[in-house]
Each structure stands twice: as structure tokens, then as C-alpha cells.
Amino acid sequence: MIPSPYRVRSRRPDRADTVTLTLEPVEGACPPFLPGQFTMLYAPGVGEIPISISGRARSGGYVQTIRAVGAVSRALCRAGRGDVIGVRGPFGTHWDLSQAHGMDMVVAAGGLGLAPLRPVIRELAAHGARYGRISLIAGTRTPATLIYPRELARWGRDFDVQVTVDHPDRAWKGPTGLITKLVGRIVFEPRRTCAFVCGPEIMMRATAEELLKRGVPAERIVLSVERNMKCGIGRCGHCQLGPLFTCLDGPVLTYDRVSDLLAVSQL
């Protein structure tokens, strides 16, 4: 429960309200993490929030992308090189790529949901021969809110990458509308497909249902489910989702385990 001090090694603004921080422990080494896990980040004097790990830096530190939407996230986004913040974790379940070897892969990201999926996508780009067809579909509000545009362009050289926006600008030449429209445009063998989905809850539910319609089994559709995590270790109860605690049983959960729970209004 006690945060360890981590120093901001680098700060990269991604968008007007989004930054990517590279964090290194003041002493020792970063504990290992698995794709999909999260840390609890503490802004001194402000508070603590869960943030997914979006990668490991070459120096060994955590890479974490944060959008300023509340008091704590705004304080973290203001942190500059050399500042010290608190880190606990990593916590939670992970995207298990070992179960997908030899299968087609569909990765679907909505908005900032691309950040937790970034370690998975980088693994697919580095070891694509281990898998069948690989497709990445991503949706965002506007072209200006799209994160990692350069990496998306690089990944597009390795496998099928399609991006849609809700509100295009005059320069946008790609698809517009909901990400679910892209599910019908990608090629995969449903019974030999594993899908990883992360984004706003309504987007994940709609995408999962489209994948089910295409024949992908519910147990191979994997979501990252978030609730109001406060402790990260299952003691406070804030993140309870029916019989589950998302900080312990999740956040990465198969759709067959959570579909009924996500359908309950205000649960």
C-alpha cells in the first residue's frame, strides 16, 4: 500500500490533454510487468489513480500514457523531467498472447484504449510469424485525439491497420463512424481467432457483439474492464463488478465471464 518513489525520466506530450511519461525507480529496478497490467500512480498531495502500463522503456522503466481528466491525472500530466511521483504495482491480469500462437489476431482499441494494448501490438509486430492474420482496428473522436500516430503508421507496414474517427476534419481521408463498422472489413477465420478489445465500455460491448456475430467464441474475446480502483489489491471493494473485483480478477477478462454483468444497468 506504500508507493515507491519513481522519477520522471522523460515526458512526451501526445495531444493537448495527453502525455506519455517514462518512469524509473529512484532505487532498484522496475518489477516486471505483463501486457494489460496497471500501476497505481500517486501524485504527491493530490491522490492516486490506476494507469495501464503502455510499455517498457529501453532504460528499463515503465512507459505510461495519461489523459488529463481529473485532479490526479492533471497533476500527473504536469509532472516534468526529474519530478518524483509514487508508484505501486504492477497489478491485475494480463493479455495472454501465448494462448494465441497460430491463431488470427484481432486487436480493437477505442480512444485511450490503444495505450494498454500497445505492448501487445509491439509483440505482434516483432513476432508476427507466430500468429496467423493480424488486424488492428482503432477508433477515436477526431484525428487530433489519435495517440501514437507514428507507431500506427509503422505497424501498418507489418499487418492490417485501420483507423476510424467520429468527427473528421478536412484533411482526414480514412473511415468515419463507429469502430464496429471496421469489424466487417477485416479478414480472419472466426473459429481460429483471438480478439483483444480495450476502450470505453459501450465500445467494448458493441465490438464484442459484432465479433460474436462473425463467429468468434466468447471465451476468445478478451476485454480490459475498468471500475473505480482505489487499492489495487482487492481490499477496498470500490472496483467490485458483481462477484468480481476488477483489480484482482481483471482488468483483463474474457467476454463469456463479463457479458451478463456488463449488460446490467449501473452495475
Side-chain angles (χ1 to χ4, degrees):
M1 293 296 292
I2 300 175
S4 299
Y6 276 60
R7 183 169 285 109
V8 178
R9 178 181 176 89
S10 67
R11 177 186 186 274
R12 185 189 72 222
D14 287 301
R15 290 293 179 256
D17 61 349
T18 306
V19 302
T20 293
L21 301 180
T22 299
L23 306 174
E24 294 183 341
V26 173
E27 296 181 356
C30 279
F33 79 96
L34 296 168
Q37 290 188 305
F38 66 96
T39 60
M40 299 296 296
L41 298 187
Y42 172 66
V46 184
E48 187 181 52
I49 56 173
I51 298 291
S52 296
I53 302 171
S54 55
R56 185 177 288 278
R58 292 180 181 178
S59 60
Y62 295 143
V63 177
Q64 305 203 239
T65 299
I66 307 163
R67 179 163 289 162
V69 295
V72 181
S73 56
R74 283 194 294 269
L76 292 169
C77 285
R78 288 194 297 266
R81 181 182 175 91
D83 288 347
V84 174
I85 65 175
V87 178
R88 292 193 295 119
F91 299 121
T93 53
H94 67 286
W95 313 98
D96 190 359
L97 274 169
S98 67
Q99 301 297 315
H101 288 178
M103 303 180 69
D104 290 350
M105 287 293 307
V106 175
V107 180
L112 202 61
L114 190 58
L117 285 165
R118 182 172 174 262
V120 167
I121 302 166
R122 297 185 76 177
E123 174 68 16
L124 293 174
H127 303 288
R130 296 176 181 174
Y131 309 92
R133 299 183 187 90
I134 300 171
S135 299
L136 166 61
I137 55 177
T140 186
R141 292 193 307 274
T142 69
T145 60
L146 182 66
I147 59 173
Y148 312 142
R150 292 183 180 178
E151 287 187 88
L152 284 164
R154 288 202 303 271
W155 296 330
R157 296 194 289 267
D158 297 316
F159 43 77
D160 183 22
V161 174
Q162 298 189 44
V163 178
T164 185
V165 301
D166 294 332
H167 306 289
D169 57 22
R170 291 184 178 180
W172 181 254
K173 304 298 183 183
T176 61
L178 299 177
I179 191 174
T180 49
K181 293 182 178 180
L182 298 182
V183 176
R185 298 176 54 169
I186 55 179
V187 179
F188 56 87
E189 177 57 46
R191 294 294 169 180
R192 295 183 57 258
T193 292
C194 185
F196 293 167
V197 186
C198 186
E201 192 167 291
I202 189 171
M203 165 264 168
M204 292 195 295
R205 288 173 55 195
T207 302
E209 290 300 316
E210 288 298 314
L211 291 164
L212 284 174
K213 291 177 185 177
R214 293 266 321 251
V216 181
E219 64 272 18
R220 291 209 296 270
I221 301 172
V222 192
L223 315 184
S224 182
V225 180
E226 294 187 2
R227 282 299 185 271
N228 188 19
M229 302 180 202
K230 290 292 186 182
C231 70
I233 56 175
R235 293 186 179 179
C236 72
H238 280 82
C239 69
Q240 187 170 4
L241 177 64
L244 305 175
F245 290 96
T246 55
C247 68
L248 287 180
D249 301 299
V252 178
L253 293 156
T254 56
Y255 193 55
D256 59 318
R257 293 186 67 188
V258 298
S259 58
D260 290 344
L261 297 173
L262 296 180
V264 178
S265 176
Q266 298 183 356
L267 180 60

